[in-house]
Amino acid sequence: MNLVRSMLLAALGLSAGYATADTTVDTTAAKTDYPLTLNNCGKPISFSAAPDATVTIGQSATEILYALGVGDQVLGTSVWFTPVLPQFSELNASIERIADNDPSFESVVNKRPALVAVQYEWHVGAAGSVATREQFDDLGIATYIMPADCDTKDNTTGGDGMRTAPFSPDHVYKGIAELAEIFDVQPAGEALIEGLEAREAAAVASAGQLDLPEDLSAVFWFSSPDNGVAPYVAGQLGAPGYMMKALGIHNVISSDEEWPTVDWETIARANPDVIVIAHMDRRRYPADDVAAKRAFLQSDPVTREMRAVQEGHIIEMDAHAMSATMRTLFGLETLAEALSGMSFER
C-alpha cells in the first residue's frame, strides 16, 4: 500500500474501504425545533416537520442524504457523474434514477416530493435549467441548494458561475449540518463532518512530508466540448483551487470563474508540472472519457510537449471530487497520494 495512503488510513483508523464518517454519534445532540426556517442561497425556506419525500438534483445532495441515513426518504435522483459511493450502492439501486443528467420539471414534480435537494443553482435557480425555485414554491415544494454552490459564488454570470471568494470545505460542512437539521438527524451530521475534517487534516499533513518543490504547478482539466478545443479547466477559487492551495501547489489558471475555457496554447506556455484529469461515467462531451483525454494530451503537437505529459505526471481524479462536494476531501487524498509517487527533479 502506498505510504501516503497508509498514513491517511492510520491517522483515521480506517480500513482500505472509503469510510465517510466516524460511526460514533453523539446522542445528546440537539433536536430540531420545528417549525424550522433557514436562509438558503438568499431565500428563506421553512419546514413544519422533517420532509417525508425528497427528490435530488445532483449527486452531492444524494450522497449526503444517504450518508445522513435518510436515504429511505429519497424517491428519485438525477445528475450523476460517477458511480455512487460503494457503501451506498445497494440503497441507490433501490431508488429510481429519474435522469442521468438534467431531469425535466415534470419528472421531479410527479414524484410529489416535499423537498427537492439541489447541487447546482443553475439547475434550480433564477434561470434554472430544470425550473426556478418559484415554480416549485407554487406547488408547495421546498427547495434546498447546497451552500457550496452559492456561498462565495455568483451564479448569475452564466456558465458555471464565478467565485467571489475561495471555496472552503466549511461550505460543504454547512450543507451537511443544515440538511441534518432539516431531517432532525443532527448526530449523523456531526459524525459525518468530524470524519471529513479528519480526512482533510490527514491528507494535508501527509502531503507536507513529501518535500514537494515550492514552485510546483498544476492544471485541472474537467472536460472539453469537443476534441482539441479549449478545455474546461479549474479556476483558482473553486474546489480544485482549494486542493492545490492546501498542498502548496500553484494553479496556472488565474481566473475566478469556476470552470473557464482556456486554450491549450496558453496552458502549454504555462507548462504545468502536473495535469489532473477528471474521470467520469458521464458522456455529454467526447472529452468526458478519461482515455480520450490521455490520447489527446499524448498526440496533440502542442500538449505533448508539456513537461507534465512528457514526464507522465498525469493524475486521474474522480470528477465529482473536482466539484464543491464532500468528495473534494477524497480528491485531496487522491492528489496527495499520487504526488508521493512522482519525482520533480529539474
Side-chain angles (χ1 to χ4, degrees), residues 18 315-318 329-339:
Y18 273 104
I315 299 172
E316 293 184 16
M317 182 179 289
D318 172 6
L329 288 312
F330 308 164
L332 190 66
E333 294 174 345
T334 297
L335 188 57
E337 182 178 355
L339 291 172

Side-chain angles (χ1 to χ4, degrees), residues 98-153:
I98 298 172
D100 290 335
N101 295 305
D102 298 11
S104 68
F105 178 58
E106 292 76 14
S107 67
V108 175
V109 170
N110 285 344
K111 303 300 288 186
R112 300 185 182 278
L115 170 67
V116 176
V118 184
Q119 178 173 345
Y120 297 115
E121 192 172 15
W122 65 271
H123 279 134
V124 178
S129 64
V130 176
T132 65
R133 301 186 82 172
E134 289 70 25
Q135 284 176 279
F136 283 110
D137 285 345
D138 290 343
L139 298 175
I141 300 172
T143 53
Y144 180 86
I145 300 171
M146 301 307 299
D149 194 59
C150 58
D151 287 2
T152 71
K153 189 173 175 216

Side-chain angles (χ1 to χ4, degrees), residues 21-326:
D22 185 347
T23 55
T24 303
V25 297
D26 177 11
T27 57
T28 65
K31 302 286 287 182
T32 302
D33 184 16
Y34 298 106
L36 171 68
T37 299
L38 299 172
N39 188 298
N40 174 240
C41 294
K43 174 181 172 59
I45 55 174
S46 298
F47 300 89
S48 58
D52 60 359
T54 303
V55 169
T56 57
I57 302 177
Q59 187 171 346
S60 174
T62 305
E63 291 184 333
I64 287 175
L65 291 179
Y66 290 173
L68 292 175
V70 295
D72 58 343
Q73 307 299 322
V74 179
L75 303 181
T77 70
S78 57
V79 188
W80 289 88
F81 291 97
T82 59
V84 71
L85 289 168
Q87 61 268 43
F88 304 129
S89 58
E90 184 176 351
L91 168 64
N92 191 63
S94 69
I95 297 172
E96 180 183 356
R97 181 177 292 202
I98 298 172
D100 290 335
N101 295 305
D102 298 11
S104 68
F105 178 58
E106 292 76 14
S107 67
V108 175
V109 170
N110 285 344
K111 303 300 288 186
R112 300 185 182 278
L115 170 67
V116 176
V118 184
Q119 178 173 345
Y120 297 115
E121 192 172 15
W122 65 271
H123 279 134
V124 178
S129 64
V130 176
T132 65
R133 301 186 82 172
E134 289 70 25
Q135 284 176 279
F136 283 110
D137 285 345
D138 290 343
L139 298 175
I141 300 172
T143 53
Y144 180 86
I145 300 171
M146 301 307 299
D149 194 59
C150 58
D151 287 2
T152 71
K153 189 173 175 216
D154 179 5
N155 289 310
T156 65
T157 59
D160 291 298
M162 180 174 292
R163 289 281 170 182
T164 57
F167 160 80
S168 164
D170 288 343
H171 304 139
V172 175
Y173 303 151
K174 175 183 175 182
I176 293 170
E178 289 186 338
L179 283 172
E181 187 176 13
I182 290 169
F183 284 89
D184 195 18
V185 289
Q186 288 91 327
E190 291 174 5
L192 179 57
I193 292 169
E194 289 173 6
L196 292 169
E197 288 176 331
R199 294 181 74 155
E200 176 187 12
V204 173
S206 67
Q209 300 185 37
L210 296 180
D211 193 27
L212 299 173
E214 292 185 2
D215 60 346
L216 189 68
S217 63
V219 64
F220 277 58
W221 177 17
F222 192 85
S223 190
S224 301
D226 206 347
N227 290 323
V229 304
Y232 294 111
V233 291
Q236 63 179 346
L237 300 180
Y242 151 77
M243 285 187 255
M244 284 184 270
K245 185 175 181 180
L247 301 187
I249 302 170
H250 168 66
N251 185 357
V252 300
I253 306 300
S254 60
S255 173
D256 291 347
E257 290 183 47
E258 192 85 337
W259 291 102
T261 54
V262 180
D263 63 78
W264 283 113
E265 289 76 11
T266 300
I267 296 171
R269 282 195 295 272
N271 204 15
D273 297 295
V274 175
I275 300 174
V276 184
I277 57 177
H279 187 287
M280 69 186 85
D281 286 354
R282 189 192 77 171
R283 291 296 182 267
R284 180 176 291 179
Y285 304 126
D288 285 350
D289 186 346
V290 72
K293 290 186 179 77
R294 284 187 174 275
F296 172 77
L297 289 172
Q298 293 164 358
S299 63
D300 181 81
V302 172
T303 60
R304 69 189 181 195
E305 299 301 322
M306 288 194 292
R307 180 166 51 238
V309 177
Q310 294 191 343
E311 297 182 2
H313 292 167
I314 300 173
I315 299 172
E316 293 184 16
M317 182 179 289
D318 172 6
H320 202 42
M322 291 189 184
S323 293
T325 69
M326 69 177 180

